[in-house]
Amino acid sequence: MKENVVAATCTVDGSYDSVVYCTVCGEELSRNSVTVSATGHSYVAVVTDPTCTEGGYTTYTCSACDDSYVADETEATGHTWDEGVETKAATCTEEGVKTYTCTVCGETKEEAIATIAHTVVTDEAVAATCTSTGLTEGSHCSVCNTVLVAQEEIPMIDHTVVTLAAVEATCYSTGLTEGSYCSVCNTVLVAQEVIPTIDHTWDSGTVTVAPGCETTGTKTYICAVCGATKTETIDSIGHDYVGVETTAATCEEDGVMTYTCANCSASYTEPIPATDHAWDEGVVTTEASCSGAGVILYTCKNDGCGETYTVAIDATEHTVEIDEAVEATCYSTGLTEGSHCSVCGAIIVAQEEIPMTAHSYDSGVTTKAATCTTDGEITYTCSVCNDSYTNTIPASHTNVMTDAYVAPTCTETGLTEGSHCEECGEVILAQTVIEATGHVPVTDAAVAATCTTTGLTEGSHCSVCNEVLTAQEVIPATGHSATKVEAVAATEATDGNIEYWYCADCDTYFSDEALTNEITKEDTIIDALGVTEPDNTDTPSGTETPAPTTDNTSTDISTDGTEATATPAPTNEAKATATPTSEAGTIVTVTPVATATATTGTNNVKTGDNSMIGLWLTIISLAAAGLAGIAVVQKKNRKSVK
């Protein structure tokens, strides 16, 4: 028997054709065809919710054949804006910005905030002097520094000129040219220049110190104009020595050989070694007292020597009398404590003079008050001796107000700290304009667009004030660039695949050309069918095709009436058929899906029997059920891989 099975799909009917041939001569014995109805689609719904800007929809995809359609479309929800945040404050020169953010998708929109009024500050007038110009009163905005009323310059006043007389130069002092200065501001108007000294008029000179053998001489010159003097050195002439023994050697002293210069009587000596003394026991020549030490005299006993030397005897102790200290004052010196001997009058501890003390001046009394422009006077008096002195209280501003420092920003200038006198209005330290610092740009990195998400161009903003310098622009999503992969049927040894579309840019798989149903790579694979090993069990000799049983096993009946167990019918996973040979060599046909009814006593298949129609109907029903089971198992296997 031969079979031709065409499986039914979702939309196309299947069929099952079977033809029975004679196993001996090959003659066609019977033919039967059965149509299997199409299974119909089994759709699975995937809901895509609406967003603020895009509508929602539901995609229905057949789990068997990947057929799909879109339905249940809904409109976009629209943005849900928050209460807004002030992202840039309004100033008196620029509008502010209020930014609203969608609480659903994060998209933003901006709204302008109106400018505010200027904060007016008066710029005080400044009086002109002989060294600086003045200014009229003006005003400006303390927030943005816009000048509202410009100050105008008042010209400087003239100097009060005082002449400085010229000084004539001499040969011992420089002179000065005539000059002048302003008595008000002390500015030098005409600087005095130094006139160099004039040259001396020297005479021919006089030798005032004659040169000697070792010493230089001096020649003195006198200026005939101013009487000033100058000297010149005369070199020494050198010695001419002659030696004479001037002292003979004695017991304790060397002798002397004296060398004398014939020109200047300068001399030097060389020693003649001395002999040793022979001293006596000594004689006390002076008794010791508190006023001085005593003396013992020792004399050399050598003939012709008579040399002596003395040894002191320690003095006795003094009778000490204290000399009282005298305190120093701011008008007289004092003395430290001292002492002397009341017996001999010797000073033991000398009194030292203590310098007069400093005056003890009070903290001073202001005898003339200083003002912003005139000096005052303060008098200090000593509380001990009533001595007094006065100091000048310099003219100064007594109520100096600080003009606050204004820090510059990225776009606005600032001011240095200044000061002015609140009493007279004079500017003490003028404020100067500090240039705006300028923005500190920071790059906002570009974000590449992908198949499904938008990107951003590179931009920048100020890291100090956060002002956007270069706005980032949205780069639209690129969209998928998918390639269609044709379906490939699975074989017994190799996997196949369904028809699908693959985007290499984002490594994504789709089951439909519209790229709306995303699947995994595993979903595209159709497992290999596999090879079913043939049943090598031989049917015992003299048996026919086994009759079907309820437990899918067959029972063969041999020619002698005994039962023999045949090979079970193949399951849904077995697709190959086996044609075992009996012991007698007769070929027995084994149905791959169901078992056949066997009769005893013959190896031939009966023909023309009405029971064959029932048998074939049973075989066709079991084959259809088997094919459906195989399809379900394969589908489950593919799904389990995900």
Side-chain angles (χ1 to χ4, degrees):
M1 182 179 69
K2 290 187 177 180
E3 298 176 337
N4 182 23
V5 179
V6 177
T9 66
C10 298
T11 56
V12 179
D13 292 341
S15 62
Y16 177 81
D17 295 331
S18 63
V19 180
V20 178
Y21 298 92
C22 176
T23 58
V24 178
C25 65
E27 180 183 350
E28 181 178 324
L29 301 178
S30 65
R31 176 184 295 272
N32 190 42
S33 295
V34 177
T35 299
V36 180
S37 299
T39 61
H41 291 294
S42 178
Y43 288 107
V44 176
V46 176
V47 178
T48 301
D49 294 327
T51 66
C52 300
T53 57
E54 296 182 359
Y57 54 90
T58 302
T59 302
Y60 294 89
T61 304
C62 178
S63 59
C65 68
D66 294 328
D67 179 71
S68 65
Y69 67 94
V70 175
D72 304 329
E73 296 184 5
T74 58
E75 294 182 353
T77 60
H79 293 293
T80 302
W81 302 110
D82 63 8
E83 295 180 356
V85 177
E86 185 182 276
T87 53
K88 179 181 179 184
T91 67
C92 45
T93 57
E94 293 183 357
E95 291 182 335
V97 176
K98 188 172 186 180
T99 301
Y100 298 86
T101 304
C102 177
T103 58
V104 178
C105 68
E107 185 173 330
T108 60
K109 69 175 182 178
E110 294 181 346
E111 184 178 274
I113 302 173
T115 58
I116 60 177
H118 288 295
T119 302
V120 180
V121 175
T122 300
D123 301 319
E124 301 291 340
V126 179
T129 67
C130 53
T131 57
S132 62
T133 59
L135 289 172
T136 61
E137 185 179 275
S139 63
H140 69 278
C141 175
S142 63
V143 177
C144 67
N145 290 316
T146 299
V147 175
L148 306 176
V149 177
Q151 290 182 289
E152 296 181 359
E153 185 176 79
I154 302 171
M156 291 189 297
I157 61 177
D158 294 334
H159 289 292
T160 302
V161 180
V162 175
T163 300
L164 298 172
V167 178
E168 186 177 359
T170 67
C171 53
Y172 57 87
S173 64
T174 58
L176 290 172
T177 60
E178 184 180 275
S180 62
Y181 70 98
C182 175
S183 62
V184 176
C185 65
N186 290 322
T187 298
V188 175
L189 305 176
V190 178
Q192 288 184 290
E193 297 181 359
V194 176
I195 303 172
T197 57
I198 61 177
D199 294 335
H200 290 289
T201 303
W202 303 110
D203 62 9
S204 58
T206 302
V207 176
T208 52
V209 178
C213 298
E214 294 181 342
T215 60
T216 59
T218 303
K219 189 173 186 178
T220 303
Y221 299 85
I222 301 173
C223 176
V225 177
C226 66
T229 62
K230 70 173 182 177
T231 59
E232 289 182 356
T233 300
I234 304 172
D235 294 337
S236 60
I237 60 177
H239 292 291
D240 182 13
Y241 288 108
V242 176
V244 176
E245 183 182 306
T246 54
T247 303
T250 66
C251 297
E252 62 177 8
E253 294 183 357
D254 294 340
V256 177
M257 176 67 75
T258 301
Y259 295 88
T260 305
C261 177
N263 296 324
C264 66
S265 299
S267 63
Y268 71 92
T269 60
E270 291 182 354
I272 300 171
T275 62
D276 293 331
H277 288 291
W279 302 108
D280 63 12
E281 295 179 356
V283 177
V284 175
T285 58
T286 303
E287 294 292 338
S289 69
C290 64
S291 60
V295 177
I296 297 177
L297 177 65
Y298 294 91
T299 304
C300 179
K301 297 182 291 184
N302 289 337
D303 293 338
C305 176
E307 187 67 28
T308 63
Y309 76 93
T310 60
V311 175
I313 302 172
D314 292 338
T316 61
E317 294 183 355
H318 289 293
T319 302
V320 179
E321 185 173 327
I322 300 299
D323 301 318
E324 298 293 335
V326 178
E327 186 177 1
T329 68
C330 55
Y331 53 84
S332 64
T333 60
L335 289 172
T336 61
E337 185 182 89
S339 61
H340 66 278
C341 179
S342 62
V343 176
C344 66
I347 302 297
I348 298 171
V349 177
Q351 289 182 289
E352 296 180 358
E353 184 178 75
I354 302 172
M356 289 190 296
T357 61
H359 290 290
S360 179
Y361 290 108
D362 59 16
S363 57
V365 176
T366 301
T367 52
K368 180 184 177 183
T371 68
C372 293
T373 56
T374 60
D375 294 340
E377 189 176 87
I378 186 169
T379 302
Y380 300 89
T381 304
C382 178
S383 61
V384 178
C385 65
N386 290 323
D387 180 68
S388 64
Y389 71 95
T390 60
N391 276 350
T392 299
I393 303 173
S396 65
H397 301 288
T398 57
N399 190 10
V400 177
M401 300 297 292
T402 298
D403 300 320
Y405 165 81
V406 179
T409 68
C410 300
T411 57
E412 298 176 359
T413 58
L415 288 174
T416 59
E417 185 179 275
S419 60
H420 67 277
C421 178
E422 194 74 1
E423 297 292 331
C424 66
E426 181 179 341
V427 174
I428 297 168
L429 177 61
Q431 288 182 289
T432 58
V433 175
I434 304 172
E435 294 299 325
T437 59
H439 292 297
V440 179
V442 174
T443 299
D444 301 319
V447 178
T450 68
C451 298
T452 57
T453 60
T454 58
L456 291 173
T457 60
E458 184 180 276
S460 63
H461 69 276
C462 176
S463 64
V464 178
C465 66
N466 288 322
E467 181 177 335
V468 174
L469 306 179
T470 303
Q472 290 183 287
E473 296 181 0
V474 175
I475 303 171
T478 58
H480 293 294
S481 177
T483 302
K484 180 180 180 181
V485 178
E486 297 294 341
V488 177
T491 67
E492 292 179 345
T494 61
D495 293 340
N497 60 265
I498 64 171
E499 177 185 76
Y500 66 92
W501 285 258
Y502 173 67
C503 178
D505 293 337
C506 61
D507 190 29
T508 306
Y509 297 80
F510 300 92
S511 64
D512 60 325
E513 187 174 6
L515 310 181
T516 57
N517 185 37
E518 183 179 333
I519 60 176
T520 65
K521 181 178 180 180
E522 288 74 12
D523 291 338
T524 67
I525 299 171
I526 301 173
D527 294 332
L529 301 177
V531 178
T532 302
E533 294 296 331
D535 188 352
N536 293 324
T537 304
D538 292 337
T539 302
S541 176
T543 63
E544 295 182 350
T545 302
T549 64
T550 56
D551 59 356
N552 291 330
T553 60
S554 300
T555 302
D556 288 345
I557 301 174
S558 65
T559 55
D560 59 1
T562 60
E563 290 184 356
T565 301
T567 303
T571 64
N572 292 338
E573 296 179 355
K575 299 176 180 60
T577 60
T579 54
T581 305
S582 68
E583 293 179 358
T586 303
I587 297 175
V588 180
T589 301
V590 180
T591 305
V593 176
T595 57
T597 302
T599 58
T600 59
T602 178
N603 288 332
N604 296 326
V605 178
K606 294 181 179 180
T607 60
D609 191 344
N610 291 334
S611 62
M612 284 298 294
I613 297 175
L615 173 62
W616 289 119
L617 291 175
T618 300
I619 292 172
I620 291 171
S621 298
L622 292 174
L627 291 172
I630 292 170
V632 171
V633 170
Q634 289 179 338
K635 186 65 177 181
K636 287 182 178 180
N637 289 339
R638 287 199 298 273
K639 293 295 183 181
S640 65
V641 178
K642 295 183 180 179

